[in-house]
Amino acid sequence: MTVRSTVHPTVHTTVRSDERILQSDIFGREQQRAPRADHGWHEEAARRIPVYHRTGVLVVGGGPSGTAAAAAAAQAGADVTLLERYNHLGGLSTGGLVIWIDRMSDWQGQLVIRGFAEELFDRLPADAVAGPPRADWGSRDAAKAAHWAQRTAAYHGVVTWSPTIDPERLKLLSQDLVLERGVKLVYHGWGTEPIVEGGAVKGVIFESKEGRMAIRAEVVVDATGDGDLFARAGAAFDNDIEAADVHHCMNTAWLFGGVDMRRWIAFRAGEPERYAQFMEQGRAACGLFERPFVSWRDDIALFMGPRQTGYSALDVDDLTAVEVRSHHAMRQHLEHYRAHAPGFEQAFMMLSAPQIGVRHARRLKGVDAVLRSRWPEGTPRPDEIGVTPAVSPAFPNISIPYGALLPQALDGLLACGRHISCDKNSHGFMREIPQCWITGQAAGVAAALAAGAGVAPRAVDVARLQRTLQQQGVYLRSAETVAAA
Ligand SMILES: Cc1cc2nc3c(=O)[nH]c(=O)nc-3n(C[C@H](O)[C@H](O)[C@H](O)COP(=O)(O)OP(=O)(O)OC[C@H]3O[C@@H](n4cnc5c(N)ncnc54)[C@H](O)[C@@H]3O)c2cc1C
């Protein structure tokens, strides 16, 4: 990836390459923090805590991956509990206002992100989804591609299935889906410590308004996004960060209401010189400056930046600093957009995301991984549990191996979502919402099979796992071999 500096001293602009679809400004942290004062230690006394619940599969984290995991595990017959620290499901795809669901069709227009994802889109109300009609997925028609390029759904001249959605509808539907399948749903519970016995995770201690309690489980799925549980249980992980790469940036997204996105798009697409001038002025006036994306409605604009680098998603002071900086940026953007952006004259601050936008904190070091070196292969891994579209038409679809969900040594736990085992290039797409649904569904089914058979997740019969995933509608290329098994 090439990186060049632009007007603002702390700004880097990532330049499009085969590995990046979007150009984006990335802003360095405001200032280095002084080292934390040493206030000494407090000795926490050991104490007996109640076992709140016993379950077959415990999923911790109700984001895209955790919701898919819980729904899939219950569908596969397991007794499932889903623990979420906030008051809704969907994680960043709802509470984080990441309401642009990235590509689910490949460059030929074939839908490869299926299963749980397909069920969601079949059931979301029509007015909660904005995206191209199915007949146009994969279209290279110049006029269609130009239209959808302005609406998050065409890249490299190809129309893709990458719609925007209404986050409240997705919250509700996610909740319906897990409750319908009999999942025990626990909101307002923050998983704090894995219970590890004999090298295997046997449950989780969580905090709530009731204090500290335990949930005992046969298998735990870590869907926290940040690897909270596998890290604390001692599993190996990567947390590499790269300055000026979008990969680890954080920010709190927001929505402006009262806008006219059609006028904005006409300005942006029709007046490139004025638009470039507007962006330069915005950077000069605000420092951190971001352009809007469309949402599921033309009167609501989505801002998923400015992206901020140099902060850690595992440091409470850094998380606070990013929130404060993002909230300030929202106010500055409102003033600048109202004064200068066609379509934004009546804009108002509709909502800043209840969940901070963390793209990367830790990634599991798994038995296997999704690797950049394998992108050109195009062949299914023997333990394929899902297929992802490639970053550009230059590569074939990419196989996701079961081994990417399995810790190298730790038993009793599976990982899914944005902290699965992959290298940093592959993380660019493996962290996207559709891929999180895929790895979540696979982790849920694998956990159900492990709990049902009384075996460790690494000992699950892979052919049976693949068959069950196919029965749940997941697209696998090893279909014929699996069917013959
Ligand atoms: C600003 C930004 C823009 C993005 N843009 C896009 C995009 O355009 N398209 C796209 O598809 N993807 C995009 N992504 C990526 C995508 O949103 C995330 O990677 C994806 O949501 C990750 O899903 P997840 O289930 O792994 O984790 P999350 O969505 O982070 O969900 C984790 C859930 O676990 C809960 N949790 C965490 N820790 C605990 C705990 N200890 N106990 C209990 N609960 C816990 C959280 O509250 C949360 O609900 C973007 C991400 C960001 C930050």
Side-chain angles (χ1 to χ4, degrees), residues 22 59-68 82-104 152 155 162-164 186 188-193 204-207 222-229 232 246-247 249-253 293 302-307 355-360 416-420 427-437 439-440:
L22 297 172
V59 180
V60 182
S65 66
T67 305
L82 173 56
L83 180 73
E84 164 57 47
R85 65 181 163 170
Y86 295 142
N87 70 353
H88 58 265
L89 296 182
L92 291 179
S93 69
T94 57
L97 297 178
V98 180
I99 56 173
W100 162 16
I101 313 298
D102 222 319
R103 282 168 308 120
M104 290 170 274
T152 75
Y155 308 95
S162 41
T164 45
V186 185
H188 298 287
W190 192 304
T192 49
E193 281 298 327
V204 165
I205 295 170
F206 72 102
E207 291 280 353
D222 186 344
T224 61
D226 300 325
D228 286 1
L229 299 176
R232 285 182 195 145
V246 71
H247 161 62
C249 288
M250 286 195 283
N251 60 272
T252 305
F293 293 101
L302 166 66
F303 287 78
M304 293 200 298
R307 301 162 176 84
Q355 296 197 16
I356 191 168
V358 176
R359 292 176 175 80
H360 171 259
C416 58
R418 64 180 158 83
H419 59 207
I420 68 150
H427 189 248
F429 55 86
M430 285 313 301
R431 69 178 168 80
E432 301 288 72
I433 293 158
Q435 287 76 358
C436 292
W437 285 328
T439 57

Side-chain angles (χ1 to χ4, degrees), residues 22 27 92 94-100 152 164 250-261 264 268 275 278-279 282 286 288-297 299-308 326-338 341-345 347-357 359:
L22 297 172
F27 299 87
L92 291 179
T94 57
L97 297 178
V98 180
I99 56 173
W100 162 16
T152 75
T164 45
M250 286 195 283
N251 60 272
T252 305
W254 69 77
L255 301 176
F256 285 164
V259 305
D260 181 345
M261 286 307 277
W264 164 258
R268 191 183 148 175
Y275 171 71
F278 166 80
M279 290 300 290
C286 304
L288 312 183
F289 198 59
E290 180 73 6
R291 75 222 148 102
F293 293 101
V294 293
S295 74
W296 77 107
R297 292 171 58 109
D299 55 357
I300 296 175
L302 166 66
F303 287 78
M304 293 200 298
R307 301 162 176 84
Q308 297 166 53
S326 298
H327 293 153
H328 282 157
M330 176 171 67
R331 180 176 53 205
Q332 283 179 311
H333 277 65
L334 186 72
E335 284 163 18
H336 194 79
Y337 272 78
R338 261 187 181 168
F344 280 75
E345 296 82 356
F348 64 92
M349 287 189 266
M350 187 173 151
L351 183 67
S352 61
Q355 296 197 16
I356 191 168
R359 292 176 175 80

Side-chain angles (χ1 to χ4, degrees), residues 368-371 374-375 377-389 396-402 404 429-430 466 476-478:
D368 199 355
V370 180
L371 297 171
R374 287 183 187 154
W375 291 6
E377 281 175 11
T379 46
R381 308 298 303 163
D383 59 343
E384 178 171 280
I385 48 85
V387 176
T388 166
N397 291 335
I398 293 165
S399 188
I400 309 170
Y402 180 48
F429 55 86
M430 285 313 301
Q466 290 170 327
L476 297 179
R477 276 121 13 116
S478 37

Side-chain angles (χ1 to χ4, degrees), residues 143-316:
K144 286 179 181 171
H147 173 81
W148 288 110
Q150 298 293 336
R151 295 176 171 272
T152 75
Y155 308 95
H156 299 293
V158 182
V159 179
T160 61
W161 179 230
S162 41
T164 45
I165 49 101
D166 175 345
E168 289 304 320
R169 287 291 185 181
L170 184 56
K171 277 184 193 172
L172 272 169
L173 176 58
S174 302
Q175 188 178 271
D176 287 348
L177 278 170
V178 299
L179 293 178
E180 281 167 12
R181 287 167 162 88
V183 172
K184 179 176 173 59
L185 177 60
V186 185
Y187 285 137
H188 298 287
W190 192 304
T192 49
E193 281 298 327
I195 300 168
V196 185
E197 294 168 358
V201 178
K202 300 285 185 184
V204 165
I205 295 170
F206 72 102
E207 291 280 353
S208 76
K209 284 288 186 183
E210 289 188 55
R212 210 164 157 80
M213 295 190 283
I215 300 177
R216 304 268 325 178
E218 287 160 60
V219 179
V220 171
V221 177
D222 186 344
T224 61
D226 300 325
D228 286 1
L229 299 176
F230 66 65
R232 285 182 195 145
F237 60 87
D238 282 318
N239 62 354
D240 51 13
I241 60 172
E242 195 184 336
D245 190 315
V246 71
H247 161 62
H248 83 286
C249 288
M250 286 195 283
N251 60 272
T252 305
W254 69 77
L255 301 176
F256 285 164
V259 305
D260 181 345
M261 286 307 277
R262 285 184 202 172
R263 277 189 59 220
W264 164 258
I265 288 171
F267 162 64
R268 191 183 148 175
E271 300 181 57
E273 279 167 28
R274 250 187 85 208
Y275 171 71
Q277 200 181 13
F278 166 80
M279 290 300 290
E280 286 305 312
Q281 281 170 348
R283 286 184 181 123
C286 304
L288 312 183
F289 198 59
E290 180 73 6
R291 75 222 148 102
F293 293 101
V294 293
S295 74
W296 77 107
R297 292 171 58 109
D298 274 337
D299 55 357
I300 296 175
L302 166 66
F303 287 78
M304 293 200 298
R307 301 162 176 84
Q308 297 166 53
T309 186
Y311 296 93
S312 165
L314 303 173
D315 179 310
V316 71

